[in-house]
Amino acid sequence: MVNLLDKINELNLSRRSFLKASTAAAAALSLGGCANTLTTASPDQMANGEGEWRTAACWHNCGSRCLNKALVVDGVVVRQKTDDTHPDSPDFPQQRACLRGRSQRQQVFGADRLKYPMRRKNWAPGGGQKELRGQDEWVRISWEEAFESIAGELKRIKEEHGNRAIFADGGDASKVLALYGGYVSNWGTTSRGTWHGTNGPVGIGPSAVEGINDRIDMRNCETVIMFSMNPAWSSAGNPAYNFMQVKKAGAEFIAVDPYYNDTYALLEADWIPSRPSEDTALLLGVAHTLIVEDDPATNPLIDWEYLKNNTIGFDADSMPEGADPKDNFKDYVLGTYDGTPKNAEWASEICGVEPQRIRYLARAMSKNKKVAIIFGWASARTQNADSLPQLVMTIGAMTGHMGKSGHMCGVSCHTGSSNGGPGLVTAGKDGLPSVENPVDDSLNHTEMWRAIVDGKYNFTGQMKWKKGEMRDIDIRAIYHDTSARLQTADGMTKGIEAHRKVELVVSHAQFLTTNAKYSDFVLPLTTEWEKLGGFVTGNREILIMYSQITEKMYECESDQWIAKELGKRLGVDVSKAFPFDEKQQFFNMIAGSKVTLPDGKTKAPLVTITAADIAEWGVEGEPQEGQITLKEFKEQGLYQVERKPGDNYGFIAYKKFRDDPAANPLGTESGKMEIYSRALAQRINNMGYSKIEPIPTYIPPVEGYQATFSDWKSKAKGDYPFQVINPHYLRRSHSVFDNVQWLRETWPNPVFINAQDAKAKGIMDGDTVLLTSQHGKVLRTALVTERFMPGVIGLPHGSWVDMDEKTGIDKGGADNILCGPVSTGQGASGWNTCIVQLEKYAGASLIPDVEKPQRIIF
Ligand SMILES: Nc1nc2c(c(=O)[nH]1)N[C@H]1C(S)=C(S)[C@@H](COP(=O)(O)OP(=O)(O)OC[C@H]3O[C@@H](n4cnc5c(=O)[nH]c(N)nc54)[C@H](O)[C@@H]3O)O[C@H]1N2
Ligand SMILES: Nc1nc2c(c(=O)[nH]1)N[C@H]1C(S)=C(S)[C@@H](COP(=O)(O)OP(=O)(O)OC[C@H]3O[C@@H](n4cnc5c(=O)[nH]c(N)nc54)[C@H](O)[C@@H]3O)O[C@H]1N2
Ligand code: SF4
Ligand SMILES: [Mo]
């Protein structure tokens, strides 16, 4: 730090110009701000070609990946830019960064970086004043003291309560805890919601490929029907651009979503507003329309051949042996035996789409059109949605939009958005051994905090979908060594209670994040910019190798260094987890990188490595012949497979299975797509959270639309009359970047409220509003809009909790204060299923986030 400041002074920067150019007074000491100053303060140096453009990591889980470059002059980042490695074109697009990547230096050099190990002031062995977690002061301590105290407490807890009393997130320190006798892990369906546990048994997949064709084939579509997706925000690199090419090629877009988001606006999609969590009802209405309107001679909507050859369970004739033929999907939809046809009128009452629009949607899916039916994961991050992916597959199978050019049905999300198919260029493995955790206890995210508070939980294995087994659990220590669990898992109110109950809480952190804030010990972490280098992966055509940008800052250290030092104090042999250093790990990844050659089949080594490279790096390895030299790759930072129409890199999902299902069976019991899936029902029902049927049926979500009524039949509204969803917001990548002042200023993080609802509640744009759920209360500033449908509120995902301890109201607008620890089905985190009351807040108005003081400790 001192070094960097000296260097800045050497670059003739006056304190006055430094302050003037800082974006916000509070961030005046931010080196990001100062880097900005240097851009204008030293044009001479830039003109002189001083410094070096290095590939700078953008390493967060943002749903995309882009090339970021930093101009480093004498160890200081003076400027950032993005991909200019080749000219931009629709077929071979540049990998251009979004606003967050371009603000990365504001994060890395932020004044609020944690600088030293620290301890909570009122901590004492056993926890001290535990209720002060989250509101205590901090004391700077040495690394030595930190390790002594943490190792001491872990030893004591292990001796008194055993390893089952230690909970950890699963990062590098957890490996050491595994060597120390084990720890209680955690698991959740996170991103993909029910696309996790439902896919395998019904025949969707394999997992990386959930059913869509590649981006160039998508240009053959006539209609693209989008459900719950917003790549303009949630896959901010190429995908929106790829979809624009599909539009340019002539496709029409339809969007089914409670929110007319920026993606739909960009593509001028025909919006069908639909209530959150209720897509199953809507799609059953679509299925009903398809069945009753289909006529092979005059109005062919259904692909009967695909249903017959590639699926089981659609009708009584295609049921698996042993199953009651009456339990088939078609008869459920028609209401043959239960007396309730799931027609458009039935669906409309639940999902809010007018019946004629449901019919329009079904007709738009007609088998004779080239249609893409594509889903983001958001609608499956809902409660009781275990059958939704199966129903999506059923609709795709009914309309035959599978396995053919210009036809597709599946997931378009995250780095796979708009572009299906296996990776064409991949990084190698670091070569570290895996360390077995002797403790098998693993807490599902939906009940993790409850389990710590209440002392019992439902064991189902870590994503093993085992038969549920109630177990006692007595957690005494929480160790955060990866992720932002307290902030991002279900039910933060319970989470805070859990964090105040245990005897020890430790976090590795770069900033005073929520995990860190509620800890006893916080260990300052380096960022990727301070590391030797590494890889990030994104869409299937690219691989990014980043370099070190700056020296290690302050007293920060890497997770691995911390893990090893802790391990030494615990008396374990850390070489079992980390037998070689981080440089060798990085080198192994380089050497193991692979690329698919233009024949579309052969996988070959990517990087040419010479004996001289190996000697220069001082690592162990063998020379190899690849497609790009190590030097070139490092300079460029990006390897991108060049694509053009008609090349061998195209991908049609399920093609082989469609063409010859007998020769290419799926991994299901029947080898076919299972519209009736015994395996799925067994998996879910065994776990013990809630029940489903082997066919997709409608089950009201615990906190879904019906729960907004005190009496559904008479339509009397209840205490929580509004539904809330959590769009992934462009200011952040989950909780990351929330502290960056540039981004706070540009993206204020309001709460989106429909104009009609606002009027009824006397709420004006800019008013501070209170949202109350059964699980907590948050404040935010209202943004009144027609882009959210009536009855639905949008609270952006990931804002850092800022609890007012006096009122118990969160002024930060944290989504998980409202979302509860509700377990259904496969233990899916059902964040988009949440109901609230909305009112104008009578207390003091919120100040904009950008005006809040940064969390600068030392
Ligand atoms: N209510 C609600 N909750 C949600 C969602 C929602 O839609 N609504 N979405 C969910 C989804 S899809 C996901 S994927 C999860 C994401 O949940 P998380 O993965 O927990 O979220 P991030 O904010 O990405 O957390 C990354 C954390 O790692 C820290 N970090 C950065 N670099 C390092 C490092 O080198 N070492 C260590 N130890 N830490 C580092 C960052 O500062 C940050 O605190 O959130 C889920 N939570
Ligand atoms: N800027 C930004 N981008 C991100 C992330 C981030 O935190 N910030 N996180 C990344 C990660 S890890 C993930 S998993 C992805 C998630 O990516 P997505 O799942 O695509 O993201 P969301 O923004 O939650 O939701 C997309 C759309 O779904 C709609 N929606 C919500 N619930 C429902 C529903 O029940 N039915 C229907 N039909 N629509 C619904 C929302 O209104 C929104 O328009 O985003 C990634 N990209
Ligand atoms: S989209 Fe993601 S990888 Fe690309 S610049 Fe933005 S935050 Fe970074
Ligand atoms: Mo995610």
Side-chain angles (χ1 to χ4, degrees):
M1 177 71 211
V2 172
N3 275 348
L4 271 175
L5 284 176
D6 283 350
K7 276 177 193 161
I8 289 154
N9 285 332
E10 277 166 29
L11 290 169
N12 291 330
L13 169 67
S14 75
R15 171 110 185 124
R16 217 182 128 264
S17 61
F18 176 97
L19 286 177
K20 212 169 105 191
S22 292
T23 47
L29 282 173
S30 148
L31 285 178
C34 108
N36 188 33
T37 311
L38 286 172
T39 310
T40 48
S42 54
D44 291 351
Q45 285 185 310
M46 286 170 51
N48 289 344
E50 264 184 55
E52 186 192 356
W53 282 106
R54 294 190 200 150
T55 303
C58 200
W59 67 97
H60 315 290
N61 183 11
C62 66
S64 198
R65 212 45 89 203
C66 323
L67 188 64
N68 275 280
K69 295 264 183 172
L71 182 60
V72 185
V73 178
D74 205 10
V76 178
V77 174
V78 300
R79 199 173 201 181
Q80 274 191 246
K81 69 172 181 182
T82 187
D83 189 5
D84 57 3
T85 53
H86 59 84
D88 188 56
S89 72
D91 289 347
F92 191 36
Q94 293 176 344
Q95 306 297 314
R96 294 189 194 172
C98 81
L99 69 166
R100 289 161 297 172
R102 292 171 200 249
S103 310
Q104 189 75 263
R105 67 195 143 134
Q106 289 273 314
Q107 204 193 32
V108 173
F109 301 113
D112 56 351
R113 272 292 295 276
L114 296 181
K115 303 173 182 66
Y116 315 106
M118 46 194 213
R119 169 172 66 68
R120 193 166 62 75
K121 191 172 171 192
N122 291 289
W123 174 84
Q129 283 176 265
K130 301 191 290 189
E131 71 284 0
L132 289 181
R133 288 188 186 125
Q135 41 183 335
D136 211 345
E137 287 171 50
W138 295 101
V139 181
R140 179 180 168 182
I141 56 173
S142 67
W143 275 107
E144 199 46 49
E145 185 186 339
F147 287 127
E148 285 300 313
S149 305
I150 296 168
E153 283 297 275
L154 288 171
K155 280 182 187 166
R156 180 186 63 76
I157 289 169
K158 177 178 160 132
E159 263 160 40
E160 291 173 8
H161 308 281
N163 284 82
R164 290 185 72 233
I166 302 170
F167 170 94
D169 284 336
D172 285 340
S174 300
K175 289 188 181 177
V176 162
L177 292 172
L179 293 171
Y180 187 56
Y183 65 93
V184 175
S185 60
N186 65 88
W187 73 278
T189 55
T190 56
S191 309
R192 292 164 68 202
T194 56
W195 292 91
H196 250 296
T198 299
N199 286 8
V202 303
I204 300 166
S207 62
V209 185
E210 288 165 328
I212 69 161
N213 303 352
D214 74 292
R215 64 183 173 92
I216 290 184
D217 186 72
M218 201 185 277
R219 295 178 196 164
N220 296 317
C221 293
E222 293 165 281
T223 307
V224 179
I225 307 178
M226 297 176 143
F227 287 79
S228 62
M229 54 189 295
N230 187 11
W233 283 12
S234 65
S235 304
N238 284 160
Y241 185 57
N242 294 341
F243 281 119
M244 281 168 71
Q245 309 316 316
V246 178
K247 184 172 171 63
K248 228 162 63 184
E252 289 179 350
F253 287 76
I254 298 174
V256 184
D257 198 303
Y259 170 32
Y260 189 68
N261 64 40
D262 283 358
T263 304
Y264 308 145
L266 179 76
L267 300 167
E268 298 173 298
D270 182 2
W271 182 31
I272 301 183
S274 180
R275 290 189 188 111
S277 298
E278 307 294 359
D279 294 51
T280 303
L282 169 64
L283 290 177
L284 286 169
V286 166
H288 188 277
T289 307
L290 289 169
I291 293 168
V292 299
E293 291 194 0
D294 173 74
D295 183 326
T298 59
N299 189 25
L301 297 173
I302 295 181
D303 187 338
W304 291 100
E305 211 177 295
Y306 189 84
L307 280 179
K308 185 161 150 276
N309 295 339
N310 299 71
T311 72
I312 63 160
F314 179 72
D315 53 23
D317 298 335
S318 61
M319 290 290 273
E321 220 171 290
D324 183 346
K326 284 183 178 162
D327 291 341
N328 71 82
F329 178 73
K330 187 175 160 208
D331 282 311
Y332 167 73
V333 172
L334 292 175
T336 312
Y337 304 108
D338 67 4
T340 307
K342 315 306 173 298
N343 57 24
E345 283 71 19
W346 170 89
S348 175
E349 191 184 6
I350 303 167
C351 71
V353 182
E354 301 107 54
Q356 77 272 18
R357 292 288 275 170
I358 296 178
R359 295 196 180 96
Y360 155 81
L361 183 61
R363 290 169 198 149
M365 294 178 182
S366 166
K367 87 169 179 89
N368 286 337
K369 276 198 244 162
K370 289 188 171 175
V371 181
I373 303 170
I374 53 179
F375 272 73
W377 290 319
S379 45
R381 291 196 301 269
T382 56
Q383 296 164 4
N384 301 93
D386 303 277
S387 302
L388 179 62
Q390 185 190 22
L391 181 52
V392 173
M393 179 193 82
T394 301
I395 295 286
M398 286 173 74
T399 50
H401 298 308
M402 286 178 163
K404 290 191 287 189
S405 169
H407 301 255
M408 65 195 85
C409 174
V411 167
S412 164
C413 201
H414 209 264
T415 50
S417 181
S418 75
N419 199 6
L424 298 172
V425 52
T426 52
K429 296 208 164 79
D430 58 21
L432 289 177
S434 60
V435 180
E436 206 192 324
N437 179 7
V439 172
D440 72 346
D441 288 279
S442 191
L443 309 180
N444 172 261
H445 291 165
T446 63
E447 60 167 336
M448 175 167 70
W449 306 135
R450 269 190 288 138
I452 295 177
V453 172
D454 301 339
K456 56 179 189 307
Y457 83 104
N458 184 23
F459 170 82
T460 59
Q462 197 174 17
M463 285 260 166
K464 301 263 171 29
W465 327 106
K466 287 187 180 171
K467 189 169 165 53
E469 168 195 330
M470 283 313 287
R471 286 189 183 178
D472 287 336
I473 197 84
D474 182 12
I475 300 295
R476 303 284 171 141
I478 295 177
Y479 197 115
H480 291 302
D481 59 347
T482 179
S483 305
R485 278 296 164 249
L486 179 55
Q487 175 70 52
T488 55
D490 321 55
M492 203 191 307
T493 307
K494 251 307 165 229
I496 292 173
E497 202 182 329
H499 279 68
R500 286 180 173 159
K501 181 186 178 212
V502 297
E503 292 165 15
L504 174 71
V505 187
V506 181
S507 283
H508 299 186
Q510 293 153 346
F511 308 95
L512 197 70
T513 56
T514 303
N515 278 351
K517 196 171 176 205
Y518 288 85
S519 290
D520 298 321
F521 292 90
V522 181
L523 308 177
L525 266 185
T526 46
T527 65
E528 295 308 301
W529 282 26
E530 293 145 82
K531 291 187 188 164
L532 214 62
F535 283 91
V536 281
T537 53
N539 71 60
R540 65 192 294 252
E541 292 154 31
I542 63 161
L543 181 64
I544 292 172
M545 182 170 91
Y546 56 88
S547 299
Q548 182 161 8
I549 301 300
T550 186
E551 293 300 314
K552 224 162 46 171
M553 294 172 70
Y554 319 105
E555 288 184 13
C556 297
E557 296 288 354
S558 71
D559 290 299
Q560 222 172 88
W561 182 88
I562 298 171
K564 288 198 240 179
E565 292 298 315
L566 178 68
K568 283 184 210 161
R569 270 79 170 185
L570 293 174
V572 305
D573 178 4
V574 293
S575 72
K576 284 193 179 142
F578 309 105
F580 40 81
D581 66 12
E582 295 184 46
K583 192 187 226 178
Q584 182 72 50
Q585 293 164 33
F586 182 24
F587 180 83
N588 292 348
M589 295 177 81
I590 298 171
S593 300
K594 293 269 185 309
V595 62
T596 306
L597 297 180
D599 66 4
K601 293 189 189 101
T602 318
K603 281 199 186 285
L606 175 66
V607 188
T608 298
I609 299 171
T610 62
D613 291 330
I614 294 168
E616 191 189 322
W617 276 60
V619 290
E620 285 181 25
E622 296 292 327
Q624 65 180 34
E625 198 58 45
Q627 305 298 308
I628 183 170
T629 66
L630 182 50
K631 184 165 173 287
E632 263 179 304
F633 194 18
K634 191 164 187 302
E635 268 167 24
Q636 219 163 285
L638 170 72
Y639 190 92
Q640 184 173 350
V641 173
E642 186 166 359
R643 293 228 43 205
K644 47 181 170 305
D647 65 16
N648 295 317
Y649 295 124
F651 178 75
I652 310 288
Y654 303 118
K655 179 156 181 17
K656 281 187 188 157
F657 170 67
R658 177 183 193 110
D659 294 348
D660 190 348
N664 303 286
L666 301 173
T668 56
E669 273 180 2
S670 62
K672 296 191 177 181
M673 290 188 166
E674 300 204 344
I675 298 171
Y676 181 98
S677 172
R678 225 172 347 220
L680 176 66
Q682 201 174 35
R683 167 178 287 192
I684 305 298
N685 297 340
N686 260 344
M687 288 176 75
Y689 289 123
S690 65
K691 299 265 181 217
I692 63 160
E693 299 295 328
I695 53 165
T697 65
Y698 176 69
I699 298 165
V702 177
E703 296 180 14
Y705 178 61
Q706 299 199 26
T708 65
F709 296 86
S710 59
D711 184 48
W712 172 244
K713 279 217 180 77
S714 70
K715 296 287 180 294
K717 273 291 186 185
D719 294 340
Y720 305 100
F722 294 93
Q723 291 182 276
V724 177
I725 55 171
N726 309 140
H728 287 210
Y729 192 53
L730 200 45
R731 165 161 131 196
R732 289 180 293 269
S733 170
H734 305 287
S735 66
V736 177
F737 292 112
D738 196 38
N739 52 331
V740 173
Q741 295 295 83
W742 285 359
L743 298 173
R744 290 185 156 197
E745 198 175 347
T746 332
W747 289 75
N749 197 90
V751 58
F752 300 96
I753 300 169
N754 169 270
Q756 233 170 280
D757 294 337
K759 199 168 167 211
K761 290 279 176 184
I763 292 166
M764 309 276 278
D765 207 60
D767 282 350
T768 297
V769 296
L770 175 69
L771 301 181
T772 306
S773 80
Q774 296 157 79
H775 316 285
K777 292 171 187 281
V778 307
L779 293 180
R780 277 289 92 184
T781 304
L783 191 152
V784 176
T785 176
E786 296 285 357
R787 291 172 69 168
F788 270 75
M789 71 186 287
V792 182
I793 292 171
L795 181 70
H797 162 55
S799 183
W800 292 7
V801 69
D802 179 10
M803 189 57 76
D804 181 336
E805 297 287 343
K806 281 191 224 81
T807 57
I809 299 174
D810 166 33
K811 294 186 290 181
D815 45 359
N816 280 310
I817 287 290
L818 293 184
C819 295
V822 179
S823 308
T824 65
Q826 59 193 264
S829 292
W831 294 294
N832 284 324
T833 313
C834 179
I835 54 175
V836 296
Q837 182 53 280
L838 163 73
E839 64 203 277
K840 191 169 160 171
Y841 186 54
S845 293
L846 284 181
I847 54 166
D849 291 353
V850 69
E851 289 171 21
K852 282 189 186 177
Q854 287 181 283
R855 296 181 181 175
I856 301 169
I857 316 295
F858 299 112

